[in-house]
Amino acid sequence: MCGICGIVGPAVAARTAHSEAGVRRMMAALAHRGPDDEGLLVDPPVAFGMRRLSIIDLAGGRQPVFNEDGSVGVVLNGEIYNYQHLRAVLESLGHRFRTHSDTETVVHAYEQWGTDCVRYLRGMFAFAVVERARDDSRRPLRVLLARDRLGIKPLYYTLVEGNLLFASEVRALLASGWMTRRLNPTALESYLLFGSVGEPETLLEGIYSLPPGETASIPLYTEQPVTLQTERYWSAHEVAPRAISSPRRRRTLQHVHEQVREALEQSVRLHLLADVPVGIFLSSGLDSTAVAALAARLHPGIHTFTVVFPEADYSESALAQQIARHLQTTHRELILTGEEMLAHVDAAVAALDQPSMNGINTYFVSWAVRQAGLKVALSGLGGDEVFGGYRTFHSAPWLERLGRLANLLPGTVRAALTPLLQRATTSPDAQRKLLAAWRNPGMLPHPFYFARLLFAPEQVGTLLRDAGASDSTWRRWLGRAAAESAGWDAFSRTGWLEMRSYLVNTLLRDTDAMSMAHSLEVRVPLLDHVLVETVTRLPAPTKRRPGRPKALLVESLGALLPAEVVRQPKRTFTLPWEHWLRGPLQENVAAHLQRLTPALKAALNEWAVRQVWEEFLARRTLWSRPWSLFVLNAWVQRHIESNDPAGSARPD
């Protein structure tokens, strides 16, 4: 696990020292991602940098890594879990390896298969390859950027005066000193709607994310501006559900369960590969228990960790201890008090690479596990998306039917029926979402997205001074996800839309930023792309059971799961934000919402922001709305209003 960065373009040749200084500033801003080592390559028109967290081949895994003749080099952030198998294949084809690192596998895979190398990789990764001429000139010919299929690892880029800058974090690009900090208004609309910025936008104008499952190829000409040629190598086509064509061809449920269990076992086995100790985040939930159960069979006595928050709505401690005893893991509880967390809330918010209404939990869990001495932890993240654990698997199909009905009725009829719809829920926030889907179902690319709203579109229109763009890259990203899954069954489609929105825009992004703030690598075996493809391709009847969430996961693992975990109702862990925002955090949050930064003052109606806070105090909206505005203001103040490059790095 690392942080990578670089500058590619004519400026590297024309002003080499200036370009190298920019890369070094980015490396410094990424130091928390890789405190163990650093590497630098300056070969005009290319300058690469990296910071390393040593996990595999501790002594030999330094980067950049090159092939035998130096014609291909790479910097990698992430892990290639099938590197041992790939190494054997590549060695049989005549490649010679100098290290035992997974990073070198990427070098030889590119040498053998070119840009198609990504199709052979199984892991979480973002990397940059430089290809040089094999003649005496050794001139760099091409750079390839790539990101893993699910978007587990981030990769951001920007174009500045014909030069490409890329990095693992937005903050590193800012630290380069090469760009102007301007708020991106289309991304701001996305943030207000969903509580995070939608792919491939960022809150900084001109900075973009390389989308999951894509590569960007950059041909190199010393004196010409760079151009990016992007290509998708993984999409809905690879995971599309297969229809059941006849009873004779139906696979029995037993066969399905065996297939899924094999994929689960293989994924966990690969995710345990490391040259340092690996632990597991163990909550009382089904997903982390499944990962722990499979891991404990491979590594008896593996370390599991439960972070206990005494002030939380409920404690996972007792059930987590039961699970640990059942699985015979070496278990440890890490207690975090409300006083400790409140004392570090500002640091947690500052650790966000992009603003998010989520992520604070992960910051403190990662801090506690890193304090226990671990560099690597497995998480159950992804189980809800892959196996159907969210309420959206029930609400999204209902919203689809509601949207179809709304499209058939004239506006006057919809208005007359609105009072009936309002009585469907007593929550003001839920009412706003429901009415938005009813009044204007075409406002978003698919009815599913209404279920994931933070602020309803009408509220966003009130908050923004100017109307949002009807066409933007984040809308096209969501629209593409909806279009390519249009013919799927509702269960599989909901899982795909979750993976292409909330998972990548919020959960994975926040997990990466918050864990790496503490130099901790978090691995997510339930998001192994082979497992995702295996499950998503299955016909809906094999995955769905009325009243039984994640039936396929439970049935595939059978007696491996403790009965107490299987029987318990799904509970969502949350910190006591409602209490904190009315108590110890109230003064700080209120002050931020009263004093917006200049950039936000120009974009938001201050009276509408204050109204959100007043509605929270009057208990007419939940804590997540004012909290999201607080985080937004703090982030903009730190990363847009500040002109100090050091202000983009991790706080002390």
Side-chain angles (χ1 to χ4, degrees), residues 522-592:
V522 173
R523 299 179 176 183
V524 283
L526 298 184
L527 290 176
D528 170 63
H529 84 271
V530 175
L531 173 62
V532 171
E533 290 173 1
T534 298
V535 174
T536 310
R537 286 171 181 164
L538 291 170
T542 66
K543 296 182 282 192
R544 188 178 59 230
R545 304 282 181 280
R548 192 173 186 182
K550 304 182 192 174
L552 181 59
L553 178 61
V554 172
E555 293 166 4
S556 297
L557 295 183
L560 201 59
L561 296 173
E564 300 88 348
V565 176
V566 175
R567 288 196 302 261
Q568 71 167 335
K570 180 176 175 61
R571 296 183 294 184
T572 301
F573 174 79
T574 56
L575 293 173
W577 291 110
E578 188 85 16
H579 167 71
W580 286 347
L581 261 65
R582 296 183 188 280
L585 288 178
Q586 179 171 341
E587 185 178 347
N588 190 21
V589 172
H592 263 273

Side-chain angles (χ1 to χ4, degrees), residues 25 105 143 167 294 308 316 396 405 416 427 445 500 583 636:
R25 285 192 293 271
T105 307
V143 165
L294 291 164
V308 178
E316 299 182 302
L405 176 61
S427 164
R500 297 320 246 184
V636 169

